[in-house]
Amino acid sequence: MEIKSLAMIGMGAVGAVVGVRLQKVLGKKMQCIVDAERKARYERDGIFVNGEKTDFNWVTPEEAEPADLVIIATKNAQLPQAIQNMKRAVKSDTAILSLLNGIQSERDLAQVYGEEKVLPAFVLSLNSIHEGNKIEYTDAGRVIFGESDNSKTGRVEALCDLFSRAGITYVNPDDIQLEQWKKYLINVTFNTLSALCRSPYGGFKYPVMQELARQTGAEVIAVANAEGIALTSKHLEDDIAMMCRHDPHGKTSMLQDMEACRKSENPWFCGTVVRLAEKHGISTPVCSLLEKLVAGTEAVREV
């Protein structure tokens, strides 16, 4: 099996960094699905990745053609529209890879296109800033992906080959579900705290920020364990150390959203923890408070 064609949806801080490398391998066989207004704007103004203009193959949902692979790199709030926009790109044997934060997007995609098409995936350690049509990154990170049952299939091998040819660092782990929850632990804990405290990565060197991270992370770990995921406090400590190694001026995606007055992914971060905790009868006072603080911060912008 070989992946010869690709459709991408979402060309922001994650999608553009991944997409610019894939385009060098696939050329016009990589189509970027956008609405008509964005297509006109992007064709006029372009997208600049680390200062270099990239002319992607922009198509509207109506112009999209069937593809071997669909990669989604939107925010969670845009996923319902993305699911509609990608319909023409999905054929009987299309593989679907979601790079969205959290643990919900694969479930939503599977409901529409079938579990057999969806491979759990996410991006780790990608450090980028998206402003207008400019994306600047210092670390392209790595793509983590695999079959839901961790089997080594032909399409997993094909993805490994594609990413290798594109120069994209990737990992096909032994347990994709655990790895996904490890990333989710980072999303809930560090994205939320950085956004509320207006803290770049460097802020997590301070003891007070680390204590907040431990209190938040402990609730995520409790919920993960109830869901059958072997997440531990060691994973959280490793995350704190990792944050301290990042560029101290780098910013989480949620902090960037907050500064730009965009809606955050709060409902899919702390919000999902709270909902799952209720199902298992687990108390999550920290995540509950953080969810309300982010929601309140976003609400008062309208005053």
Side-chain angles (χ1 to χ4, degrees), residues 3-302:
I3 296 172
K4 298 179 180 180
S5 57
L6 164 67
M8 287 200 68
I9 304 180
M11 301 302 290
V14 172
V17 175
V18 174
V20 74
R21 298 184 179 210
L22 289 169
Q23 190 199 45
K24 291 178 180 179
V25 172
L26 296 172
K28 292 297 183 181
K29 287 293 184 178
M30 178 181 130
Q31 51 189 326
C32 301
I33 303 175
V34 293
D35 60 40
E37 185 275 328
R38 282 187 174 85
K39 180 184 178 183
R41 174 157 45 91
Y42 289 155
E43 287 180 340
R44 182 186 70 238
D45 301 334
I47 283 184
F48 293 81
V49 181
N50 278 2
E52 182 178 345
K53 185 180 180 182
T54 301
D55 295 316
F56 290 109
N57 177 25
W58 305 106
V59 300
T60 65
E62 296 74 25
E63 296 168 337
E65 297 181 355
D68 296 329
L69 173 66
V70 173
I71 295 179
I72 306 168
T74 65
K75 292 296 184 69
N76 276 285
Q78 284 78 54
L79 180 60
Q81 187 61 58
I83 288 175
Q84 296 301 313
N85 289 350
M86 63 190 273
K87 281 188 173 181
R88 289 179 60 88
V90 180
K91 52 193 177 77
S92 61
D93 60 348
T94 297
I96 300 174
L97 208 68
S98 169
L99 303 183
L100 276 64
N101 287 319
I103 56 175
Q104 185 62 39
S105 64
E106 284 84 2
R107 296 171 175 84
D108 293 343
L109 286 161
Q111 285 185 349
V112 178
Y113 294 108
E115 292 183 7
E116 73 282 357
K117 287 186 172 63
V118 182
L119 290 87
F122 60 93
V123 175
L124 192 64
S125 300
L126 191 157
N127 185 14
S128 66
I129 293 178
H130 181 196
E131 295 180 354
N133 65 337
K134 297 178 176 61
I135 297 95
E136 298 288 332
Y137 73 93
T138 57
D139 188 339
R142 55 191 183 275
V143 179
I144 320 296
F145 70 93
E147 297 284 0
S148 296
D149 63 359
N150 300 313
S151 59
K152 307 303 179 183
T153 61
R155 63 179 181 176
V156 166
E157 293 178 359
L159 272 169
C160 291
D161 175 67
L162 175 63
F163 289 151
S164 293
R165 288 187 287 127
I168 294 172
T169 302
Y170 67 88
V171 178
N172 176 223
D174 293 332
D175 188 341
I176 185 61
Q177 306 292 346
L178 173 60
E179 296 303 322
Q180 200 167 33
W181 271 86
K182 285 166 63 176
K183 172 63 185 299
Y184 185 52
L185 173 64
I186 294 172
N187 290 150
V188 174
T189 303
F190 300 96
N191 273 265
T192 305
L193 291 174
S194 69
L196 286 170
C197 297
R198 300 299 196 270
S199 171
Y201 294 129
F204 288 99
K205 70 180 181 180
Y206 295 105
V208 64
M209 292 294 288
Q210 293 185 11
E211 179 58 24
L212 284 169
R214 290 186 180 99
Q215 291 176 358
T216 307
E219 295 183 355
V220 180
I221 292 168
V223 173
N225 294 165
E227 288 279 302
I229 307 297
L231 206 60
T232 69
S233 59
K234 173 66 163 54
H235 295 131
L236 179 58
E237 293 302 320
D238 290 344
D239 292 340
I240 293 173
M242 178 182 66
M243 289 294 154
C244 293
R245 291 194 300 269
H246 279 328
D247 175 359
H249 303 293
K251 299 177 180 180
T252 66
S253 59
M254 195 168 176
L255 173 56
Q256 294 180 53
D257 287 340
M258 194 73 78
E259 291 179 337
C261 293
R262 296 188 293 261
K263 280 286 188 180
S264 74
E265 294 185 292
N266 181 48
W268 294 271
F269 289 175
C270 285
T272 296
V273 173
V274 172
R275 287 190 294 274
L276 287 175
E278 290 174 350
K279 181 180 75 172
H280 293 289
I282 297 172
S283 176
T284 53
V286 176
C287 286
S288 296
L289 177 60
L290 294 179
E291 179 191 18
K292 292 182 176 66
L293 286 172
V294 174
T297 301
E298 293 178 345
V300 298
R301 295 174 188 156
E302 308 301 322

